[in-house]
Amino acid sequence: MPELIINGPAGRLEARYHHEPASDSPIALILHPHPQFGGTMNNQVVYTLYHTFVERGFSVLRFNFRGVGRSQGIWDGGPGELSDAASALDWLQIVKPDAKSCWIAGVSFGTWIAMQLLMRRPEVAGFICVAPPSNLYDFSFLAPCPSSGLMINGDKDRVVPSNSVADLSQRLKTQRGIKITHQVVPGANHFFENKTDELKDAVGTYLDERLVQAEIDRANEKEREKEKERERQRQRETDRQEAAPEIEDIDDGADDGDDD
């Protein structure tokens, strides 16, 4: 887990990165909670998400928003932090250009930034939103949400009521056939104190199911492409056979002309 400095729009961004040697390893970007309320990339929930992805073969990046830790710049209330996240994702995609999938995850405030980035980056295949502050921030820009993902919160969260997250999840489920899964961790507060193992299990199970389905989808897509190529080959053979008599007729006509 080497220390890393990324060039961001307001200066350097302090980060931590886990690199998988496989060239096509999937990638994941993790965004931390609100910087003005102690949120950093070393938050225990961020750390839990980071290792949940690592254990499944992802190349994973987490970083400090501007003004946090060794990251340069000052708090910008959202737009600057979104630019930071976009720069971090750019860096990750440059390092892993052949990644077979791209995921984004956020914690609290980080989910609001993550979902805005999701709307701007169609290559993001899935997301994890932990304790999304749907009662504090406007998520109406998710219209429609372009990717399926997981929204998860604790039933003892006094910052973000569980019914607020449930309402957001329900609104998104009806759009474009995208499936938004909502889970509640019993006994967990906003910071998942003493409940990170339960969070890790829930997120891990969801990721496992999505990754298995993604492999099935890729295999089916490859088979469809093979069938399309076989059909094109059959059509080329049919065209060749149909053209053959015309060529023979032309040859016969040329022979008759020579006899005359």
Side-chain angles (χ1 to χ4, degrees):
M1 194 188 306
E3 294 185 7
L4 178 70
I5 296 296
I6 295 172
N7 290 326
R12 67 170 181 259
L13 294 173
E14 181 185 13
R16 299 291 185 275
Y17 173 60
H18 169 80
H19 183 78
E20 283 290 328
S23 62
D24 66 343
S25 68
I27 56 176
L29 176 67
I30 318 294
L31 306 182
H32 68 71
H34 203 299
Q36 293 195 315
F37 294 95
T40 77
M41 67 175 176
N42 294 321
N43 169 275
Q44 65 173 351
V45 178
V46 172
Y47 193 80
T48 296
L49 292 174
Y50 183 89
H51 283 281
T52 303
F53 279 100
V54 166
E55 290 169 4
R56 283 154 181 82
F58 281 73
S59 292
V60 192
L61 179 70
R62 72 184 201 270
F63 73 97
N64 280 329
F65 287 123
R66 58 184 61 196
V68 178
R70 295 170 58 198
S71 291
Q72 294 178 321
I74 59 174
W75 161 252
D76 193 44
E81 288 70 25
L82 177 57
S83 295
D84 294 342
S87 293
L89 184 55
D90 287 342
W91 182 92
L92 189 53
Q93 291 177 317
I94 290 171
V95 173
K96 302 292 292 188
D98 298 322
K100 57 187 173 184
S101 65
C102 174
W103 282 67
I104 190 167
V107 182
S108 192
F109 168 81
T111 68
W112 186 57
I113 300 298
M115 298 306 277
Q116 291 180 70
L117 185 58
L118 175 75
M119 293 297 292
R120 291 161 170 77
R121 305 296 280 264
E123 69 271 23
V124 177
F127 65 85
I128 305 292
C129 284
V130 179
S134 49
N135 60 325
L136 303 174
Y137 290 92
D138 182 9
F139 283 80
S140 62
F141 57 83
L142 293 168
C145 180
S147 300
S148 296
L150 171 67
M151 293 193 175
I152 185 167
N153 63 284
D155 65 355
K156 302 300 182 184
D157 191 335
R158 296 183 178 181
V159 178
V160 181
S162 187
N163 62 353
S164 175
V165 181
D167 288 345
L168 175 61
S169 301
Q170 287 294 330
R171 290 200 303 272
L172 297 181
K173 280 182 180 178
T174 61
Q175 300 179 29
R176 285 184 59 185
I178 294 299
K179 184 177 181 181
I180 309 300
T181 302
H182 177 219
Q183 292 189 37
V184 177
V185 177
N189 62 19
H190 191 66
F191 307 101
F192 285 82
E193 292 174 316
N194 302 316
K195 292 293 180 179
T196 53
D197 287 343
E198 290 83 348
L199 174 65
K200 186 174 184 179
D201 288 343
V203 172
T205 297
Y206 177 81
L207 281 175
D208 290 340
E209 292 173 354
R210 286 288 306 274
L211 293 173
V212 167
Q213 186 59 51
E215 289 299 326
I216 293 173
D217 291 344
R218 273 192 286 270
N220 290 339
E221 180 61 28
K222 286 182 180 179
E223 185 55 38
R224 285 192 291 269
E225 287 300 320
K226 288 180 180 178
E227 179 56 35
K228 288 179 181 178
E229 180 55 35
R230 287 192 289 265
E231 178 59 31
R232 287 192 289 266
Q233 182 60 37
R234 287 193 291 267
Q235 186 60 50
R236 286 193 291 268
E237 181 62 22
T238 298
D239 293 344
R240 188 190 66 78
Q241 292 176 355
E242 290 177 350
E246 297 179 5
I247 294 174
E248 291 177 359
D249 291 343
I250 292 173
D251 289 343
D252 290 344
D255 290 343
D256 292 343
D258 291 342
D259 290 343
D260 292 341

